[in-house]
Amino acid sequence: MSKNLQALLLFLIWVGFGYSQTDSIRYLNEIHLADVKLQNNSTGQFVQDISGESIERAEPLLTGLLKFNSPFFFRENGYGMVSSASVRGTGAAQTAVVWNGININSQFTGQTDFNTVNTMVFDEVSLRPGGGSVVYGSGAIGGTIHLSNDFQFKGKTENSLDIGYGSFDTYQVSYRGDFSNEQTNLKVGFSGISSENDYPYKNSRFKNENGDFYNISLNTTIAHWLAEKHLLKFYSNYYQGSRAFSGTVTTPSNSEYFDRNSRNLIEWKYLENPWTSSLKLAYLIEKFQYFENRDNDNFTFGNANTAIFKYDLGYELNSANEFHLIADQTIIKGEGSGINTAHRNTTGLAFLYNGRSEKLKYEASLRQEFTSNFESPLLFNLGVSYGFIETYSLHLNLSRNYRIPTFNDLFWTSGGNENLNPEKSIQAEIGNAFKFQKGSFRLNAFYMDISNLIRWIPSENGIWQPVNTAEVRNYGLELFADWQEQVFKNPLQFQAGYAYTRSEDQRSGNQLIYTPFHKATFTADYELEKFQFFYQSLYNGEIFTSSDNNYSLQGYYLADIGLKYQISAKPEMHLQFQIKNLFDKKYESMPSRIMPGRHFKTLLTLNF
């Protein structure tokens, strides 16, 4: 870090703690929201909060939750196997997963495997399609997925225990504890799942072999008021998993993959009208071992350590105007098989402005990064929302976003390219939102122009190497709707979503691979005394599996049905039973990677 930047950070901290007033504590909403920037800096964009009910009924793995509750498309190598997301036609490395405000995408691949994220230890899961690089950095081109824990000083003790069993010898267990008084809130969570995962391939004499897996996730969060205006928060998450990678229909496999992730974040927040000050320190550890043959001791590996320093100084000029100045430093060190020891230092400076009136909200933000490996573009975000009438509002957003080449892209010894440039995109979207007494409806249209797209292609000597090669144009429509009615004096709820996505290589005019033109989801819930019935479904359209669009996988429709019964009210206990893939469809989202047919899941929940 330069001496000038060090001096600037010291000055910002001095200003934040030196200019104090005598007013009472402000911004109490920041106590309840781990990722305040998601709510305050999404003007013109749509943020989808997934309900706790949806989280409970889904598989503990993040893939199972999002594929039925979002417009995102998932490529899966089988149940519990490698899973990656495509948002608005972008690739897996262009989707950022954000943990309590920190981007946790892998330093090696630039993406997150969604079957290595256990949702049961988080309080909130939210989605935001569209760019977010100004706030969340590299990879937030197509969209962001947010995993958050909140704090509430309710003076209560709450516990929840889930025990489940399902087909293919699948077991799950989770526990969540919430302990608080007026000054301190402690939350602990544990969740684990294991499966033999030996499901039969439909219409075949074969089954999914070498597909067993397990993972556990531990989570601890604590917040404590040090004084009237000083709040200290600590977040810790640990994940450990093992998966035997199953082969394809025609190619067997005996490989195995171990991975371990540790994430720790401490934040010191100072609240004093008109100032807010937030100092964050985070340390992330990413480790993996891959065994081509699980029966011997030979393996490849990767280790990455990331340290993050972030300071956010906010000033509320008046009730309608708020400014934030953010400075951060990220230091990454990685090593692994095929990669010599790699380092990356990134310094970022950002300015955020939010304004609002009775009907109008607007924001503007800029970010410039200084990275040791290459030059980063100046990023910006502009957003406007205007409520014309009580039931209708218009939303506009324009942004520039980017993705930094990963360690594999830059430093892989047999093909890395240290001359790569970041991927860059300009994107715009317009949203029409309607709110009624019983529901809401939103229609988004988006456009995205991506340059310097990084692709691995064979060189003249036959070695695969990443290069900045393609220019891509993405555009489409998204629809989100929900409705609630009373049927025989009992609540009936509907939720629906639809996405049309055109992701076009500007040179060939072809649709990019693994990007469906159409995806639709539908969920219905009905409560009747002690019973709750639900139905959820999705449709994924045809996807191309070759860049010339000559090969494809057909679209498929999936449906789950379930019943929850309340056994007792005190303590609260209920039993849930689901039939998944109700119509026993044979389907695959990757070639020769057949997914499970009809199967079941049970879950017993105790709240006390």
Side-chain angles (χ1 to χ4, degrees), residues 249-269:
V249 175
T250 58
T251 306
S253 169
N254 196 40
S255 61
E256 190 168 16
Y257 184 85
F258 293 93
D259 59 326
R260 186 176 67 195
N261 296 303
S262 176
R263 307 174 183 115
N264 294 280
L265 167 65
I266 189 168
E267 179 181 10
W268 178 16
K269 185 175 286 290

Side-chain angles (χ1 to χ4, degrees), residues 101-276:
I102 301 295
N103 188 326
I104 60 172
N105 279 13
S106 169
Q107 301 300 335
F108 296 103
T109 64
Q111 58 187 270
T112 293
D113 183 344
F114 287 78
N115 277 336
T116 66
V117 178
N118 196 308
T119 62
M120 299 299 288
V121 297
F122 301 109
D123 297 320
E124 301 170 0
V125 178
S126 304
L127 317 169
R128 188 178 75 174
S133 293
V134 169
V135 177
Y136 301 110
S138 174
I141 292 180
T144 52
I145 297 168
H146 300 260
L147 312 169
S148 304
N149 297 99
D150 64 4
F151 297 104
Q152 299 183 42
F153 303 88
K154 300 182 294 185
K156 296 182 179 180
T157 296
E158 298 176 346
N159 298 275
S160 179
L161 177 66
D162 299 299
I163 301 174
Y165 176 76
S167 300
F168 328 123
D169 283 332
T170 302
Y171 299 85
Q172 74 172 86
V173 61
S174 63
Y175 166 79
R176 297 173 299 279
D178 187 345
F179 314 92
S180 67
N181 55 34
E182 293 182 353
Q183 279 190 300
T184 306
N185 184 201
L186 168 66
K187 292 185 177 182
V188 294
F190 165 83
S191 185
I193 181 173
S194 70
S195 178
E196 286 300 311
N197 201 25
D198 54 353
Y199 57 88
Y201 293 152
K202 186 172 175 57
N203 300 330
S204 170
R205 59 186 178 87
F206 300 104
K207 66 177 181 179
N208 189 52
E209 297 181 342
N210 197 58
D212 57 286
F213 70 90
Y214 84 88
N215 65 64
I216 59 172
S217 186
L218 306 173
N219 209 69
T220 302
T221 57
I222 185 169
H224 177 71
W225 287 101
L226 299 173
E228 183 182 5
K229 302 173 180 65
H230 296 267
L231 179 63
L232 187 67
K233 299 190 284 186
F234 175 72
Y235 307 85
S236 181
N237 179 257
Y238 175 81
Y239 170 91
Q240 177 177 302
S242 170
R243 288 182 290 180
F245 284 161
S246 56
T248 65
V249 175
T250 58
T251 306
S253 169
N254 196 40
S255 61
E256 190 168 16
Y257 184 85
F258 293 93
D259 59 326
R260 186 176 67 195
N261 296 303
S262 176
R263 307 174 183 115
N264 294 280
L265 167 65
I266 189 168
E267 179 181 10
W268 178 16
K269 185 175 286 290
Y270 178 73
L271 306 171
E272 177 67 62
N273 183 49
W275 298 93
T276 62

Side-chain angles (χ1 to χ4, degrees), residues 66-67 100 118 165 169 200 207 273 283 360 403 407 437 447 488 507 515 538 551:
L66 297 185
K67 69 181 182 180
N100 290 307
N118 196 308
Y165 176 76
D169 283 332
K207 66 177 181 179
N273 183 49
Y283 190 69
L360 180 67
R403 181 176 78 88
F407 279 173
Q437 182 178 1
Y447 177 87
F488 303 115
R507 294 180 181 177
T515 302
L538 68 85
Y551 299 94

Side-chain angles (χ1 to χ4, degrees), residues 308-573:
I308 301 171
F309 166 90
K310 187 174 185 178
Y311 182 73
D312 182 343
L313 176 66
Y315 179 74
E316 188 174 353
L317 180 64
N318 50 47
S319 61
N321 296 277
E322 184 177 349
F323 303 88
H324 282 265
L325 189 59
I326 301 173
D328 57 73
Q329 179 81 11
T330 302
I331 303 171
I332 306 168
K333 180 180 179 181
E335 61 177 353
S337 304
I339 295 179
N340 294 325
T341 300
H343 301 268
R344 174 177 292 161
N345 293 334
T346 301
T347 301
L349 293 174
F351 173 79
L352 282 63
Y353 167 70
N354 294 88
R356 53 195 173 274
S357 63
E358 182 179 357
K359 293 186 176 182
L360 180 67
K361 290 181 63 179
Y362 44 94
E363 69 173 67
S365 54
L366 294 171
R367 178 177 175 85
Q368 181 63 62
E369 288 192 354
F370 308 91
T371 306
S372 55
N373 304 108
F374 45 80
E375 295 184 3
S376 298
L378 177 66
L379 307 176
F380 67 84
N381 181 71
L382 302 171
V384 177
S385 297
Y386 187 79
F388 286 89
I389 55 177
E390 185 176 353
T391 57
Y392 172 71
S393 58
L394 179 67
H395 306 263
L396 303 170
N397 187 266
L398 175 68
S399 65
R400 170 184 279 177
N401 301 276
Y402 81 126
R403 181 176 78 88
I404 296 176
T406 68
F407 279 173
N408 286 0
D409 293 331
L410 294 169
F411 306 123
W412 191 261
T413 54
S414 61
N417 182 0
E418 296 190 38
N419 296 316
L420 290 172
N421 293 314
E423 296 175 345
K424 294 183 289 186
S425 77
I426 293 291
Q427 52 188 285
E429 65 178 273
I430 179 171
N432 297 273
F434 302 85
K435 289 188 177 181
F436 308 101
Q437 182 178 1
K438 295 183 179 181
S440 64
F441 175 87
R442 177 158 177 151
L443 177 65
N444 295 333
F446 65 87
Y447 177 87
M448 187 184 312
D449 195 302
I450 304 175
S451 60
N452 290 332
L453 188 70
I454 298 172
R455 295 194 298 181
W456 285 72
I457 63 175
S459 63
E460 294 180 356
N461 55 12
I463 298 176
W464 285 79
Q465 189 175 36
V467 295
N468 295 110
T469 178
E471 311 293 319
V472 178
R473 180 188 298 115
N474 296 357
Y475 55 91
L477 298 172
E478 296 167 338
L479 181 152
F480 305 90
D482 64 83
W483 197 264
Q484 180 171 320
E485 281 283 359
Q486 292 289 319
V487 178
F488 303 115
K489 298 182 179 181
N490 294 292
L492 175 64
Q493 299 182 19
F494 300 98
Q495 288 184 323
Y498 170 75
Y500 169 78
T501 305
R502 184 76 169 95
S503 186
E504 180 182 282
D505 186 315
Q506 294 190 35
R507 294 180 181 177
S508 66
N510 292 332
Q511 179 86 341
L512 292 192
I513 61 174
Y514 302 114
T515 302
F517 289 104
H518 307 280
K519 180 180 178 180
T521 60
F522 175 80
T523 301
D525 291 86
Y526 182 64
E527 295 183 24
L528 179 63
E529 296 181 349
K530 293 184 178 183
F531 293 91
Q532 181 181 10
F533 305 87
F534 66 86
Y535 178 88
Q536 62 181 18
S537 62
L538 68 85
Y539 171 75
N540 278 322
E542 178 189 24
I543 58 173
F544 294 110
T545 59
S546 63
S547 57
D548 58 9
N549 289 181
N550 286 332
Y551 299 94
S552 65
L553 292 175
Q554 64 181 5
Y556 53 86
Y557 176 83
L558 299 178
D560 297 349
I561 192 170
L563 170 66
K564 185 167 74 173
Y565 173 72
Q566 181 177 327
I567 299 173
S568 65
K570 291 186 179 180
E572 181 184 349
M573 181 185 300

